[in-house]
Amino acid sequence: MKRWLKMAAGAAAITLATAGCAGSGSGDSTNSSAPASNGSLTVWLMTGTAPESLTNSLHKEFEDAHPGVKVKYEIQQWNGIQQKLTTALASDNPPDVIELGNTQTPAFANQGVLADLTSSVGDFNGAQWLQGLKASGEYDGKTYGVPFYAANREVIYRKDMFEQAGITATPKTRAEWLDAITKLKAKFGSDPEFQALYQPGQNWYELLSFIWDEGGDIAQANGKSFKATLDSAQAKAGLEFYKQLTDASGTKAPKDADEATPQQAGIYGAGKVAMMIGVPGEADTAAKTDPSIKEKSGAFPIPGKSADKSAPVFLGGSNLVIPANSKNAAAAKDYVKLFSTPKYQTELAKAGYVPGTSTDVSALDANPLTKVMAEASKNGRAVPTSPKWGDVESGQNPIKDMLTAYLTGTKTLDQATADANAALDKLIGG
């Protein structure tokens, strides 16, 4: 997920921890009564996340409430962060608050290096947590990560092209989406460079939406491990629609690469594409090619099978964690608690991100693209919380291989799903 986050960071990456008071309780591995022992609280957040104005305000408020404690704020780079985190979390003196990608959290929880925050969920505004991120911070029935922020995909489209093609309303169903593509191709298809929808062959986060919309999943919990379900009827139906959409789209995207290879925003910005599926910030990236593209662009949620609900979306984002070996656990919990308050959650939303510990997303309404993202996030989900999920995304991703094999005709639907299911089981099944 890290590569997706780097892309999303251009559109959505925020990071910060927050303060207040945290109570102690049984089952909570943090020491909630001891003061910060060394006079400082070390916080690691990722580059491109929290706006400086937010962190300045947060740190001042925290330090004012904790005399003698200084926040040591360190911004980390995505490149090489996995090894740096592994080393830091295993040490006797780790940072006190760390931002982890939501797919990283279960792996570190499994290693026993994160504090169990289960009894403190209420202190962190737990009733307001974004449900899709909430699941990513849980492992083996306990909570280790506090939702930080999220971003999710939507359909970004050219309003002017839709109008010229006679499309008077954005699609709410898959059938309406395909009909819009037909109308766009009828209007602009004489241009050999035109693409109604730029559709990379390996956009597997998009595929998740279709599988979930069919009522399926890519894997299901099996005790502490997971059982791959890519060969289920529901997963096959989702894959079939992905192919139907790709075949109809007129896309010129490679079938053996994802949306980052090449970067789809640049292609959309070149002016020959009517739609792409991405995060809102990709419109900003597209504007580097054509500054007028932002004003020409709108967004709608990924359509579902029926008009009453859009398709579920993958929530990419981060959690805030406290290392099990933190020497300043009580102050760390206060810091996370402060960030979980409406004041700082609203600041996150103003910056363009779906806040992790607040259901108030009204600050995202000012931008039509982020407004759609926020609405779609209510039906957001995370990938299976397997501690081995990182191996799926960092290695030979079986879901990507499945997509390419089926789209190119190298394998039949049954062959592609069976092979991918077996490969996924080897990665996360044990």
Side-chain angles (χ1 to χ4, degrees):
M1 188 188 95
K2 285 301 120 193
R3 187 182 63 204
W4 181 86
L5 276 176
K6 283 192 281 187
M7 183 181 74
I14 287 200
T15 333
L16 224 159
T18 61
C21 286
S24 62
S26 60
D28 194 325
S29 63
T30 59
N31 180 352
S32 58
S33 59
S37 60
N38 58 9
S40 67
L41 186 81
T42 302
V43 177
W44 280 12
L45 302 181
M46 301 307 299
T47 184
T49 57
E52 186 176 357
S53 59
L54 188 157
T55 55
N56 287 345
S57 175
L58 176 71
H59 294 163
K60 182 179 187 306
E61 182 171 350
F62 177 83
E63 291 173 354
D64 287 348
H66 296 76
V69 179
K70 181 74 174 175
V71 176
K72 185 180 179 184
Y73 178 41
E74 300 180 359
I75 298 175
Q76 304 299 317
Q77 303 299 313
W78 288 116
N79 188 33
I81 191 59
Q82 184 70 24
Q83 184 56 51
K84 189 170 185 178
L85 286 169
T86 300
T87 301
L89 285 165
S91 74
D92 291 331
N93 190 29
D96 302 295
V97 177
I98 298 177
E99 173 190 354
L100 290 184
N102 60 340
T103 60
Q104 293 177 312
T105 308
F108 286 116
N110 180 58
Q111 293 172 19
V113 294
L114 303 183
D116 175 7
L117 303 176
T118 306
S119 66
S120 297
V121 168
D123 296 328
F124 305 139
N125 205 25
Q128 296 281 306
W129 285 11
L130 185 63
Q131 289 303 303
L133 275 188
K134 177 178 182 292
S136 74
E138 297 174 339
Y139 180 71
D140 197 22
K142 298 178 181 179
T143 297
Y144 294 91
V146 176
F148 185 18
Y149 75 92
N152 47 270
R153 287 166 175 77
E154 61 191 6
V155 183
I156 299 172
Y157 75 100
R158 286 280 299 272
K159 294 183 290 186
D160 55 337
M161 287 184 172
F162 268 49
E163 182 179 355
Q164 292 173 50
I167 304 168
T168 58
T170 54
K172 287 185 169 54
T173 67
R174 292 182 185 178
E176 291 175 356
W177 197 7
L178 292 170
D179 182 62
I181 287 174
T182 298
K183 290 178 179 177
L184 287 162
K185 290 166 71 175
K187 177 64 179 178
F188 302 104
S190 60
D191 184 342
E193 296 181 18
F194 176 72
Q195 302 176 65
L197 169 68
Y198 186 77
Q199 176 77 337
Q202 293 187 344
N203 192 345
W204 68 281
Y205 291 119
E206 176 192 340
L207 173 65
L208 288 178
S209 288
F210 304 142
I211 292 176
W212 288 333
D213 195 39
E214 292 286 349
D217 209 336
I218 54 178
Q220 292 183 339
N222 181 25
K224 288 188 177 182
S225 63
F226 285 81
K227 174 64 179 173
T229 54
L230 286 169
D231 59 351
S232 68
Q234 295 89 344
K236 288 180 180 179
L239 179 56
E240 283 185 292
F241 179 72
Y242 190 104
K243 186 176 189 302
Q244 181 184 7
L245 184 66
T246 302
D247 291 344
S249 68
T251 187
K252 302 181 187 306
K255 291 182 171 63
D256 60 351
D258 61 21
E259 67 276 16
T261 313
Q263 287 287 348
Q264 66 176 6
I267 296 171
Y268 177 76
K272 300 288 188 176
V273 174
M275 291 181 281
M276 69 173 174
I277 298 171
V279 294
E282 290 185 77
D284 295 317
T285 303
K288 295 177 181 178
T289 302
D290 175 9
S292 72
I293 202 80
K294 255 188 109 170
E295 291 300 316
K296 297 174 182 176
S297 295
F300 56 90
I302 297 174
K305 293 178 69 175
S306 60
D308 60 329
K309 183 183 292 186
S310 60
V313 291
F314 166 72
L315 287 177
S318 290
N319 295 316
L320 295 172
V321 302
I322 298 173
N325 290 338
S326 168
K327 301 297 191 295
N328 306 316
K333 290 169 72 176
D334 283 356
Y335 183 82
V336 174
K337 182 181 177 182
L338 183 59
F339 197 107
S340 300
T341 59
K343 174 181 178 180
Y344 291 106
Q345 292 298 294
T346 298
E347 289 303 306
L348 278 180
K350 286 179 180 178
Y353 311 110
V354 180
T357 62
S358 174
T359 57
D360 181 7
V361 293
S362 58
L364 290 163
D365 291 350
N367 181 328
L369 271 64
T370 58
K371 180 178 180 179
V372 169
M373 177 182 70
E375 185 62 30
S377 72
K378 298 175 184 177
N379 193 18
R381 301 188 189 180
V383 294
T385 54
S386 165
K388 299 180 181 180
W389 190 259
D391 295 339
V392 176
E393 299 201 29
S394 63
Q396 191 71 25
N397 188 326
I399 309 173
K400 286 187 172 185
D401 293 343
M402 176 184 72
L403 279 163
T404 295
Y406 185 49
L407 292 177
T408 59
T410 305
K411 295 179 182 179
T412 66
L413 176 66
D414 288 345
Q415 289 172 331
T417 53
D419 290 349
N421 204 66
L424 187 60
D425 258 340
K426 287 182 180 179
L427 292 172
I428 66 172

